[in-house]
Amino acid sequence: MEDNSARLFNDRLIRRLILALIVVVNVLIVGIVLALCVRSWPILDGTPLGRLLFSTEWHPSTGKFGLLTFIVGTFAVTAGAMLLAVPPCLLSAIYLSEYAPRWIRTLSAPLIDLLAGIPSVIYGLWGVLVIVPLVQDRIAPLFGVKSTGYSVLAAAVVLAVMIVPVLVHISVEVMKAVPRELREASLSLGATRWETVKHVVLRKSRSGLFAAGVLATSRALGETMAVLMVAGNYVFALPRTPFDQAYPLPALIANNYGEMLSMPHYEAALMAAALVLLLIVLIFNVTSQAILLRFARA
Amino acid sequence: MNRRSAEESIFKGLMGLSFLAILAALATIVGTVVWKGLPAMNWDMLTKTPSGGFYLGGSGGVLNAIVGSLYLAGGATVASSCLALPIVLGLNVYARRASRLVTFTRFSMDVLAGVPSIVFGAVGYVLMVALGLKASLLAGIIAVALLILPIMIKAMDEVVRLVPQEMAEASAALGATRLETAFLVVARQALPGLATAVLIAFGRGVGDAASVLFTAGFTDNIPDSLMSPAATLPLAVFFQLGSNLPEVQERAYAAALILMAMILIVSLVTRELSRRLSRHNVR
């Protein structure tokens, strides 16, 4: 055996190092928030919070930085995406967890993984080539409106497809966690399969399903490139209908990085936008993780 | 009785439709990229960097972006593996099982994995300015490494957790230190999963655009050092799609096809690798 004291010394040294790394990775999120706070301080310091969050005036050249247009844009496209995505994803998850034969389950897993792995820019390209013309030529005329196609609706459709993997994956996991015996008890009482799903499986897994929805919302809120490419990014008005353009927060940040050094406070305002986005996303994200953690314990 | 079974069949029908709709969306995405990208594809796209007037329809290809993306994602993957592996082994071998620190770390990685990539881009930019760097390969690697770190830790943790406790105990009983147990026994048993985790993170790194927008810059040259700016494929797609010239837009489609192919290759290699490496595992 080689020198034992050296082995033990190494073990203790690495133990310390690893512990330090674990602590660092845990405070990383605090570091991110602080870094954004510091860089956006010139704006946070001078502007009342109400004016920053609830004013629609965005004139970087005169130093007016109201984020309301962008916050509303973010929530508009996200809400649209959730409305479009939740019903089909829930039904698909029920199908995959309760009805589908084994071969469909094994086949669908890599397909849904593929959907999760497709880069955001490709979703954006698909949006520009397929969804935007569809909205412009087919859907908007159906409602008797004129639209360029670059709209809340187009962004919502693209986002809806992007959050499918999160929604389906977590929902299936959550429903699979419902004990088999509960299903059997329900079936033996004469309930049909659908009644068992409705009254037992969904009831038992509703908090987990809710968490899946909240998590998907947080993903949709922060999605950048695809939304940037199809939402239209109109600064001067709030979207009133799904056919209007929207300008979500991530798009604002991504679009203006080139110009931010040219005007005073512009960079600080964009960093403040990133901070606001991060805090909104964190609220949703932490909520869903906390629910899922409790669900896993129960 | 009849109403009950009618309700069942209606919902079964709706479920089938929903599932098909999701598959159809996937098919139209892949289909659009292939159908638009193939006619625009040529050998020059893969083997040449942009020459003069490329963005006005001149000749050349996107080799700069292909190589840039590989360098960037490769560098970021190496950097975050060096942090992720010790952290995950620490959580599973050194720390007590289900201790507060372990639970909290898992929770905070879930939260960190949900931070939007544009925020990592902004933070990467802040770090870059603080370190006195310019937009460069190095700054891009830092931003992407931060982005994929929680993803990698989560994926590694999932597989290292499954290594039987008895293996670590057997190793300890033979006189191994925890360090030796962690890296020689636990990591070896989890190797297929670890490789998968690394490749998943690499795939995310290749595909992400928002985090490198501020930090990596964009250039027509292949980066020759960590300090030179680097082009990336997603940004090549994005910028060229924004052009008014159809020839340049065509190139965006071709670049998208290349990006899609890279992602597919990475995910196929992941599957194959994890199958091969798990042959020698203790089951």
Side-chain angles (χ1 to χ4, degrees), chain B residues 8 18 33 55 89 94 135 175 198-199 228:
Chain B
E8 171 116 26
S18 311
V33 172
Y55 301 101
L89 290 176
Y94 278 89
V198 168
L199 281 172
S228 48

Side-chain angles (χ1 to χ4, degrees), chain A:
Chain A
M1 197 101 259
E2 44 182 318
D3 188 358
N4 273 331
S5 64
R7 288 173 61 217
L8 288 174
F9 176 76
N10 281 343
D11 186 52
R12 277 195 297 267
L13 181 74
I14 299 292
R15 189 189 121 87
R16 297 246 162 82
L17 274 175
I18 286 179
L19 233 106
L21 272 182
I22 291 177
V23 171
V24 167
V25 87
N26 274 314
V27 295
L28 206 54
I29 188 75
V30 182
I32 290 173
V33 172
L34 280 181
L36 291 178
C37 278
V38 169
R39 295 299 287 196
S40 53
W41 190 247
I43 283 288
L44 298 180
D45 192 29
T47 330
L49 204 59
R51 180 134 44 99
L52 187 67
L53 293 181
F54 301 113
S55 157
T56 57
E57 279 187 290
W58 179 265
H59 301 291
S61 49
T62 55
K64 289 200 171 108
F65 300 104
L67 292 174
L68 188 67
T69 314
F70 313 104
I71 296 174
V72 170
T74 303
F75 279 105
V77 297
T78 302
M82 290 307 288
L83 282 177
L84 290 171
V86 165
C89 285
L90 189 59
L91 285 166
S92 299
I94 296 173
Y95 176 68
L96 287 174
S97 130
E98 308 295 320
Y99 288 90
R102 181 178 281 275
W103 68 272
I104 288 190
R105 274 182 232 183
T106 40
L107 205 71
S108 74
L111 288 179
I112 290 185
D113 280 352
L114 178 63
L115 206 54
I118 293 176
S120 176
V121 172
I122 303 242
Y123 278 103
L125 182 74
W126 173 69
V128 170
L129 293 176
V130 178
I131 303 302
V132 167
L134 192 72
V135 171
Q136 183 183 13
D137 301 333
R138 298 257 183 279
I139 302 177
L142 210 63
F143 290 86
V145 227
K146 262 181 118 74
S147 167
T148 55
Y150 292 91
S151 56
V152 173
L153 181 62
V157 172
V158 173
L159 267 181
V161 179
M162 294 183 82
I163 56 177
V164 163
V166 182
L167 278 173
V168 172
H169 192 247
I170 300 184
S171 304
V172 169
E173 298 261 295
V174 161
M175 284 192 257
K176 276 202 177 139
V178 174
R180 209 189 141 86
E181 291 77 9
L182 290 179
R183 291 190 184 87
E184 283 166 357
S186 160
L187 290 170
S188 70
L189 288 173
T192 65
R193 235 158 150 194
W194 171 249
E195 284 164 342
T196 304
V197 168
K198 206 165 55 172
H199 298 300
V200 179
V201 179
L202 287 184
R203 204 188 173 88
K204 196 76 187 148
S205 52
R206 67 189 159 186
S207 70
L209 294 175
F210 178 71
V214 179
L215 188 65
T217 308
S218 86
R219 289 290 150 84
L221 286 167
E223 177 46 48
T224 309
M225 298 309 282
V227 174
L228 169 69
M229 289 161 83
V230 300
N233 306 332
Y234 186 64
V235 190
F236 301 108
L238 293 176
R240 307 234 168 259
T241 74
F243 301 105
D244 288 342
Q245 305 194 349
Y247 203 163
L249 276 169
L252 168 79
I253 304 164
N255 245 346
N256 294 293
Y257 77 102
E259 302 154 34
M260 67 190 176
L261 297 174
S262 58
M263 280 174 252
H265 289 349
Y266 202 177
E267 187 205 320
L270 290 178
M271 291 298 159
L275 182 63
V276 170
L277 174 68
L278 176 62
L279 293 178
I280 295 173
V281 169
L282 279 183
I283 291 170
F284 280 83
N285 199 350
V286 169
T287 311
S288 73
Q289 300 298 352
I291 299 171
L292 282 174
L293 202 66
R294 269 180 49 196
F295 189 80
R297 280 212 192 110

Side-chain angles (χ1 to χ4, degrees), chain B residues 115-175:
Chain B
V115 173
S117 71
I118 187 78
V119 172
F120 280 110
V123 170
Y125 173 82
V126 173
L127 267 177
M128 176 179 100
V129 173
L131 295 173
L133 293 170
K134 287 207 186 84
S136 59
L137 187 56
L138 180 62
I141 285 177
I142 295 174
V144 177
L146 283 175
L147 171 78
I148 62 179
L149 181 64
I151 298 166
M152 203 188 269
I153 291 180
K154 275 169 47 125
M156 284 183 169
D157 187 46
E158 249 168 51
V159 291
V160 172
R161 263 172 121 161
L162 297 179
V163 174
Q165 181 76 39
E166 290 81 5
M167 283 185 86
E169 283 162 6
S171 163
L174 289 171

